[in-house]
Amino acid sequence: MSCCTILSLIVLGTAGPSTSVQAEGPIHWSAVTATPIPESADLLTIGKRLYGLQCARCHGQEGRGNGPYANDLSNKPRDFGKGYFKARTTIPKGFPSDLDFFRTITAGFPAYEMPALGQLPERDRWALTFYTKTVIASAMEAVITEKLEKDGEEVNAAEVKDIVSARMSPGDLVKVPREPAGSREASIRRGQMTFIKGDYRCANCHGPQGKGDGPNAANMKDEWGFQITPRDISQGIEFRKLVYTPEDMVRVILTGIPGTPMPAFDLAGTFPEGIREIWDIARYVESLGKD
Ligand code: HEC
Ligand code: HEC
């Protein structure tokens, strides 16, 4: 079976009207779907070997983002220790689900130097998911321990493990509200105004046309201390990590992009206008770069 046949099998059944997935092109993060299988000692052993082969060169054996390739990449491989994850379908304060990590491993972030592994058998990708979570846990424990030691506090390893395991419990899924009925053209026009002037302040960072040149765009840092720029979202979706469809945009507005300055918006108290507004923004973003 060729790689592309396998890729198209993975996304079969998910390509509804708005999750436009091209069987030949790269898999989009949000279009990856699978049914989780139970974790087992065997899978962890397989996952450990695969992590060594596929991930450690960038993320490091201990998941601290310091593998031998790290220095040569312009996008720094993630140090898992801080516990922030961008790619998620769970609420902002919750941890990503196992399926979210499986999606990240399957789709990668090809535009940001993390390769896609959709060609690996599904069982191997679950093995990688489970083992990677153990690496993430150890990295998070190491960060907390270092902080306690630096502050001259006593370290109780069992307590640190408990803190990390509580933080790693997956959050509830974010509910993406249905798009209100109405004309798409009108939605795009309203969305442009909301993007620029609304409380959402998208244009402050991304600029009015989404080119990444808003007044607040300069000198931003992410939680890992690296320079980060609000993306030029007027470019094609091949430069994206997370947002491929309007539904993705709505979800990302509700979750924010953890670890980066892009905030999460809580719709509580703004129903139903909030739903209309975020869908308008999503339709505006979809329209960018298409003229
Ligand atoms: C060539 C380098 C490279 C390899 C190999 C690589 N990654 Fe990554 N990884 C990255 C980069 C770079 C990022 C950060 C992307 C960003 O935020 O822009 C990342 C981010 C991640 C994230 C964080 C995603 C999020 O939600 O924020 C996870 C989890 C991850 N990688 C897991 C893995 C696993 C598991 C493997 C092996 C199967 C792997 N990576 C292989 C470079 C790599
Ligand atoms: C405080 C600054 C800030 C604000 C406000 C902000 N963003 Fe962002 N946005 C960013 C940054 C920084 C990134 C890059 C994150 C990364 O690469 O990990 C980003 C990334 C994105 C992306 C690309 C995601 C992908 O798939 O790669 C989209 C689309 C986006 N923002 C849309 C919006 C919209 C719509 C709004 C308003 C609701 C908004 N942003 C508000 C800073 C901001």
Side-chain angles (χ1 to χ4, degrees):
M1 211 188 283
S2 78
C3 77
C4 301
T5 323
I6 299 172
L7 297 194
S8 56
L9 283 180
I10 295 158
V11 298
L12 261 189
T14 68
S18 44
T19 41
S20 54
V21 176
Q22 286 169 7
E24 301 290 316
I27 320 169
H28 294 160
W29 188 89
S30 55
V32 175
T33 187
T35 307
I37 58 173
E39 187 179 321
S40 66
D42 277 358
L43 285 179
L44 283 172
T45 310
I46 297 169
K48 184 173 185 180
R49 185 176 57 80
L50 289 171
Y51 182 92
L53 288 171
Q54 304 280 3
C55 321
R57 66 182 182 279
C58 290
H59 292 285
Q61 284 298 349
E62 264 91 51
R64 300 305 305 275
N66 55 0
Y69 281 29
N71 277 342
D72 297 332
L73 296 174
S74 45
N75 286 286
K76 292 302 160 209
R78 183 64 39 76
D79 172 354
F80 299 137
K82 285 195 193 262
Y84 295 109
F85 293 95
K86 302 178 181 182
R88 55 195 297 138
T89 54
T90 54
I91 55 168
K93 293 235 156 64
F95 206 72
S97 66
D98 286 358
L99 182 54
D100 288 340
F101 286 115
F102 178 92
R103 290 187 171 110
T104 297
I105 289 164
T106 301
F109 302 117
Y112 297 88
E113 293 167 294
M114 167 148 163
L117 288 180
Q119 78 281 8
L120 291 186
E122 193 171 317
R123 191 162 175 271
D124 285 356
R125 283 177 281 136
W126 283 114
L128 271 166
T129 301
F130 298 136
Y131 183 73
T132 302
K133 283 189 74 181
T134 70
V135 176
I136 291 172
S138 312
M140 286 170 70
E141 287 164 19
V143 165
I144 297 178
T145 305
E146 280 159 21
K147 167 114 187 24
L148 289 171
E149 281 168 353
K150 199 166 144 237
D151 295 347
E153 297 199 29
E154 201 181 315
V155 177
N156 176 330
E159 254 172 48
V160 172
K161 264 193 193 323
D162 286 348
I163 295 170
V164 167
S165 104
R167 274 181 62 191
M168 285 183 69
S169 102
D172 292 338
L173 293 186
V174 137
K175 265 195 143 80
V176 174
R178 231 174 230 286
E179 181 170 25
S183 137
R184 184 172 297 189
E185 289 309 312
S187 180
I188 294 172
R189 275 198 304 277
R190 284 192 307 269
Q192 178 171 25
M193 298 299 290
T194 316
F195 186 90
I196 296 172
K197 295 212 171 108
D199 296 340
Y200 299 90
R201 302 181 200 290
C202 314
N204 283 4
C205 293
H206 291 283
Q209 268 87 43
K211 292 192 181 302
D213 54 359
N216 296 350
N219 298 324
M220 281 186 180
K221 288 240 157 84
D222 65 16
E223 288 291 339
W224 297 273
F226 300 120
Q227 196 89 24
I228 189 166
T229 49
R231 295 291 166 225
D232 175 353
I233 54 177
S234 67
Q235 289 177 312
I237 55 175
E238 64 274 23
F239 299 101
R240 302 272 180 85
K241 267 185 282 231
L242 310 166
V243 175
Y244 301 101
T245 67
E247 278 89 348
D248 291 343
M249 187 72 262
V250 169
R251 195 189 63 248
V252 169
I253 291 173
L254 295 174
T255 56
I257 307 187
T260 82
M262 178 149 160
F265 287 94
D266 186 356
L267 281 188
T270 66
F271 288 99
E273 308 88 87
I275 295 179
R276 171 84 270 165
E277 283 171 359
I278 55 178
W279 269 100
D280 288 344
I281 294 175
R283 288 293 177 194
Y284 174 61
V285 169
E286 184 191 28
S287 76
L288 288 172
K290 287 200 175 152
D291 335 304

